[in-house]
């Protein structure tokens, strides 16, 4: 019944779904893509960098979301998620 909870839930689900899809297909894309010319091991390493980047991006996004909530309530949280 709370629209804010639904908005954050849908946003998280779509974001995480895209992340899972990229993590699953990235190594194959780099290994057989025409412009990359890397082996399977190197393709896996390159693809894993996306997952490592998400560790930083998720934690910093959570920090800014919590800060926005502290300063401006749910409106601040939504601004942090929009940016």
């Amino acid at each position: 019944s709370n629209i804010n909870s639904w908005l954050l839930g849908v946003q998280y689900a779509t974001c995480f779904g895209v992340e899972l899809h990229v993590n699953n297909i990235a190594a194959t894309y780099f290994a057989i893509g025409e412009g990359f010319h890397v082996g399977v091991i190197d393709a896996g390493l390159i693809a894993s960098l996306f997952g490592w980047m998400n560790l930083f991006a998720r934690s910093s996004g959570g920090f800014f979301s919590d800060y926005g909530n502290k300063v401006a309530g749910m409106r601040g949280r939504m601004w942090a998620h929009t940016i």
Side-chain angles (χ1 to χ4, degrees):
S1 65
N2 186 347
I3 190 69
N4 294 328
S5 297
W6 279 103
L7 287 172
L8 292 174
V10 168
Q11 182 186 24
Y12 180 78
T14 55
C15 174
F16 193 62
V18 168
E19 181 184 341
L20 288 177
H21 178 71
V22 170
N23 286 337
N24 284 328
I25 200 68
T28 305
Y29 176 76
F30 289 127
I32 64 174
E34 294 180 13
F36 296 103
H37 306 293
V38 296
V40 176
I41 294 173
D42 291 333
L45 176 65
I46 294 167
S48 73
L49 294 175
F50 182 76
W52 285 104
M53 178 200 62
N54 283 326
L55 289 175
F56 170 76
R58 283 182 174 272
S59 60
S60 62
F63 171 79
F64 288 116
S65 176
D66 290 345
Y67 180 74
N69 188 49
K70 181 180 176 183
V71 171
M74 193 61 175
R75 185 177 302 264
R77 187 176 296 262
M78 295 302 285
W79 271 108
H81 284 238
T82 302
I83 295 173

